[in-house]
Amino acid sequence: MVPESPSPAALRELGNVSIVGLQWGDEGKGKIIDLLSSEFDLAVRWNGGSNAGHKVEVGDKKYRFHLIPIGILRPNVTCVICSGVVIDPLKTLEEIDGLSTQGVTVESNLKLSLNANVVFPYHKLQDQLAESKAADGKIGTTGRGIGPCYADKANRSTAIRLADLLEDSRLKEKLQRIVPEKNAILHALYATQPLDWKPMFEQYRACGEQLRPFICDTTQLLHRALKENKRMLFEGANAVLLDVDHGTVPYVTSSNCGTGLSVGTGLPGKAVDTTLGIIKAYSTRVGSGPMPTELNNGIGDKIRERGHEYGTTTGRPRRCGWIDAVALRYSVAISGASAASLMLLDVLSTFDELKICTGYKVNRQVREWFPADALELQHAEPLYETVPGWHESLDGIRRFEDLPKNAQGYISRLEGHIGIPLKIISIGPGRHQTLIR
Ligand code: IMP
């Protein structure tokens, strides 16, 4: 019998595990989180918001997640959304409803931080208008209000947290003061009609009432779990190259998605024992920004169609290209990943040859370290190693040793270039389509 997930003993050895995307998002983190979560007591989401999108297939059921931890599919796992996440209460309730129609209940095991910042309609409006009215330099955001909400968090006086939704007088005072301020800015920049704070107050206090049973001090909950040696799986959203400090700024999201676990959870860094990186077998990016290995040709189109590379959150076609080992070496270094899972290998079947980007040429110089400046990266010319492809389908393969020799060769060349072992190989969306080495 081939195991569908790593053995419980092997997982115990890993301790608390952090899952981090090592490219520009959409690596397939959802599948691995789902696979591992049965062996953990807690699943912890610590960054981002409803910009993230995870697809998980279990048998003939398909689930889509934006905010709720994927661990919710396991009834014994306590799912925690920490203060580092920006929460859209409307989306959260929508997701809870959607899950419950699929038979997944959240009542007893979902916890939301009272300190998480709340996304309001003016955040989404500002995000969408800034994008649609930008003459050039669009970031290509998801329009979910993520950036403006994190900006208000840093601004402090205009921040509203989940706890504020639970007390009418607090929420009223804040909205009465903040909405006119937002109206003035939005009108001056985009000539918008003013938003009315009163219906917003009614709608969000009602959301607060519905979410009240889930809201608590998650920092205390996590510290108690740490003391009791409970096993934690940290569900990273977005990815290292979208990190607001260490990604391809400004074409990034607004959280420290590669580095901010401690900030997002309130746990010390040593609470994580193992960081497992998630890598797609090729590169994709959605939104603007440099992507040295992008293929604007038939090969890129073929990858997009074979990999169904359309955004989970926005439906946008993703930009596709060869795998980039320079970017991956950087992400491994930044995140501290000691091993990784290689996803969507089956998408690369039927190519005569495959390319791995091993270096960049920038201003006639060969570079092996990812340029810190996105503008410099824009001019990076990829240097490739070409390896033979394979035409066999990977359907039905259950052991690494049964992969076509050229697929094994591709994996071993990648490991050499990236410097960490690829311990899990995914060859399809199902739990059973996973090779564990
Ligand atoms: P924002 O997070 O909506 O502000 O978008 C900023 C950039 O990050 C855009 O290029 C988005 O497409 C990208 N982005 C944010 N979250 C994800 C994700 O989960 N997967 C892929 N791209 C993302």
Side-chain angles (χ1 to χ4, degrees):
M1 174 81 180
V2 179
E4 280 192 7
S5 62
S7 73
L11 276 179
R12 253 190 299 280
E13 254 172 53
L14 299 180
N16 292 335
V17 176
S18 164
I19 302 289
V20 180
L22 296 183
Q23 291 153 309
W24 281 286
D26 312 313
E27 295 89 355
K29 296 181 283 293
K31 171 175 167 172
I32 297 302
I33 292 168
D34 168 59
L35 203 69
L36 303 188
S37 57
S38 63
E39 295 304 323
F40 289 84
D41 301 305
L42 292 97
V44 183
R45 173 82 192 266
W46 52 271
N47 79 296
S50 60
N51 53 352
H54 298 299
K55 277 185 273 186
V56 178
E57 285 192 33
V58 183
D60 56 0
K61 285 199 168 174
K62 290 186 185 168
Y63 302 91
R64 276 169 193 256
F65 294 89
H66 296 286
L67 274 159
I68 310 280
I70 294 159
I72 205 79
L73 296 178
R74 313 279 189 177
N76 298 330
V77 177
T78 300
C79 293
V80 185
I81 302 186
C82 301
S83 61
V85 176
V86 289
I87 295 187
D88 181 337
L90 305 171
K91 289 271 166 216
T92 310
L93 289 166
E94 208 179 286
E95 211 168 314
I96 291 174
D97 277 352
L99 283 168
S100 88
T101 59
Q102 290 184 289
V104 181
T105 52
V106 302
E107 277 66 32
S108 58
N109 57 345
L110 180 64
K111 310 286 171 195
L112 309 179
S113 167
L114 48 82
N115 286 335
N117 282 257
V118 178
V119 177
F120 277 89
Y122 47 80
H123 292 130
K124 290 185 251 191
L125 189 61
Q126 188 183 347
D127 191 5
Q128 290 158 14
L129 287 170
E131 283 287 306
S132 64
K133 305 277 181 190
D136 51 16
K138 280 186 209 300
I139 291 171
T141 71
T142 59
R144 297 293 174 95
I146 307 300
C149 186
Y150 276 115
D152 274 341
K153 171 178 166 166
N155 193 40
R156 296 148 296 165
S157 63
T158 45
I160 299 184
R161 294 168 141 197
L162 271 187
D164 297 320
L165 303 192
L166 303 181
E167 229 180 272
D168 286 1
S169 58
R170 246 158 88 173
L171 183 62
K172 193 182 265 181
E173 178 281 313
K174 290 203 170 186
L175 285 175
Q176 232 169 347
R177 175 172 52 79
I178 294 166
V179 174
E181 199 177 300
K182 297 293 176 189
N183 281 338
I185 295 168
L186 290 169
H187 181 75
L189 289 175
Y190 310 113
T192 55
Q193 293 298 315
L195 299 169
D196 188 348
W197 69 267
K198 289 186 211 94
M200 213 183 290
F201 165 71
E202 290 302 337
Q203 187 180 29
Y204 279 74
R205 71 177 284 284
C207 289
E209 273 321 305
Q210 281 180 273
L211 293 176
R212 188 184 287 277
F214 307 113
I215 299 174
C216 65
D217 180 346
T218 57
T219 312
Q220 186 183 22
L221 184 152
L222 292 180
H223 276 272
R224 197 176 295 142
L226 193 63
K227 227 179 213 164
E228 291 169 2
N229 289 320
K230 293 263 167 69
R231 289 166 302 170
M232 298 190 221
L233 180 66
F234 297 96
E235 301 189 5
N238 323 125
V240 175
L241 299 177
L242 292 172
D243 186 289
V244 68
D245 280 291
H246 305 286
T248 50
V249 179
Y251 305 104
V252 292
T253 189
S254 301
S255 68
N256 281 112
C257 35
T259 53
L261 191 145
S262 282
V263 177
T265 57
L267 288 170
K270 66 180 182 192
V272 176
D273 300 296
T274 306
T275 299
L276 179 71
I278 311 294
I279 300 173
K280 194 182 274 191
Y282 46 92
S283 299
T284 63
R285 179 163 200 168
V286 58
S288 319
M291 178 182 168
T293 63
E294 181 171 11
L295 295 166
N296 285 311
N297 58 21
I299 300 177
D301 294 343
K302 181 173 167 182
I303 294 176
R304 182 176 309 106
E305 292 318 310
R306 284 186 59 79
H308 312 293
E309 292 295 351
Y310 294 88
T312 311
T313 302
T314 58
R316 292 177 290 179
R318 296 181 185 136
R319 300 155 63 193
C320 298
W322 297 123
I323 199 157
D324 185 341
V326 185
L328 284 167
R329 281 197 295 269
Y330 174 79
S331 296
V332 165
I334 296 287
S335 65
S338 55
S341 180
L342 187 71
M343 313 303 292
L344 292 128
L345 185 68
D346 51 307
V347 173
L348 294 185
S349 297
T350 77
F351 285 86
D352 290 336
E353 54 184 33
L354 303 169
K355 290 182 193 286
I356 301 172
C357 172
T358 56
Y360 298 148
K361 210 183 229 182
V362 189
N363 297 329
R364 279 189 246 136
Q365 281 186 328
V366 174
R367 298 273 298 266
E368 291 188 349
W369 179 257
F370 195 68
D373 182 358
L375 280 180
E376 207 180 338
L377 190 62
Q378 206 101 48
H379 301 293
E381 187 194 320
L383 303 171
Y384 287 118
E385 173 180 316
T386 302
V387 296
W390 62 92
H391 285 263
E392 300 93 315
S393 158
L394 307 187
D395 275 357
I397 291 181
R398 296 290 171 267
R399 295 184 324 150
F400 180 82
E401 298 70 30
D402 297 333
L403 282 172
K405 283 286 163 278
N406 287 350
Q408 293 188 34
Y410 181 65
I411 293 166
S412 113
R413 291 306 298 152
L414 276 180
E415 286 180 321
H417 288 301
I418 300 166
I420 55 171
L422 298 171
K423 291 273 196 191
I424 302 176
I425 312 293
S426 175
I427 54 169
R431 282 180 181 164
H432 63 285
Q433 293 169 303
T434 316
L435 316 178
I436 294 155
R437 299 167 79 188

